[in-house]
Amino acid sequence: WSDIFLLQSLLVRHGLVVQFLSKRELLLVPIVGVVLWAFQFPLLRRTTRRGESDEARKRLDFEALRDACRRARENPVALVCFAEGTRATAERRTLRGSPHRHLLPPRVGGFGALC
C-alpha cells in the first residue's frame, strides 16, 4: 500500500489527483469503496458474471477505461495501472512461459484501451 501513498504525495504537488485502475470488488471494502466511488476511479471486472462471456467482460472494462480517459481530458488526473504479477507462483510462471524469475510476463491489460 505504500506505493499508492508515495505516488499520491508526489503527484499532488503538481496539481494532479491520482486515479488507479481498480478492481470492482473493492467497492465492497468499507471506506475504500466510498473513496473509489467518490473520486470516480475506473473500476474493472476481473471475473465474469454468470452468463457473461469473457469477451463481454473485456468490452465493459474497455468502456470503463475509455470513460476514465474522457474524464481525464476534461479534468486532468494521473491515471495509474500497476503491473500484474502479485500472484505469481512457480506453476503460473511455467504455464505462461515467463522469462522472469519472480514475475509473470507483462500483459497489455488496461493500457490496450489507450492505443
Side-chain angles (χ1 to χ4, degrees), residues 5-72:
F5 295 119
L6 289 172
L7 279 172
Q8 180 70 33
S9 64
L10 289 172
L11 293 172
V12 165
R13 292 179 188 164
H14 299 286
L16 294 173
V17 173
V18 179
Q19 288 188 347
F20 299 92
L21 299 181
S22 306
K23 294 180 184 179
R24 188 170 194 83
E25 293 80 6
L26 290 175
L27 283 175
L28 302 174
V29 178
I31 300 173
V32 173
V34 173
V35 170
L36 295 176
W37 174 78
F39 285 99
Q40 297 181 330
F41 279 43
L43 300 169
L44 309 176
R45 297 181 192 277
R46 294 291 119 219
T47 57
T48 56
R49 294 181 283 186
R50 287 185 196 170
E52 182 181 53
S53 70
D54 213 27
E55 198 59 41
R57 179 192 53 84
K58 288 179 183 179
R59 188 181 73 252
L60 289 172
D61 284 352
F62 180 82
E63 290 172 8
L65 188 57
R66 182 183 286 162
D67 289 342
C69 290
R70 275 193 207 112
R71 287 192 307 269

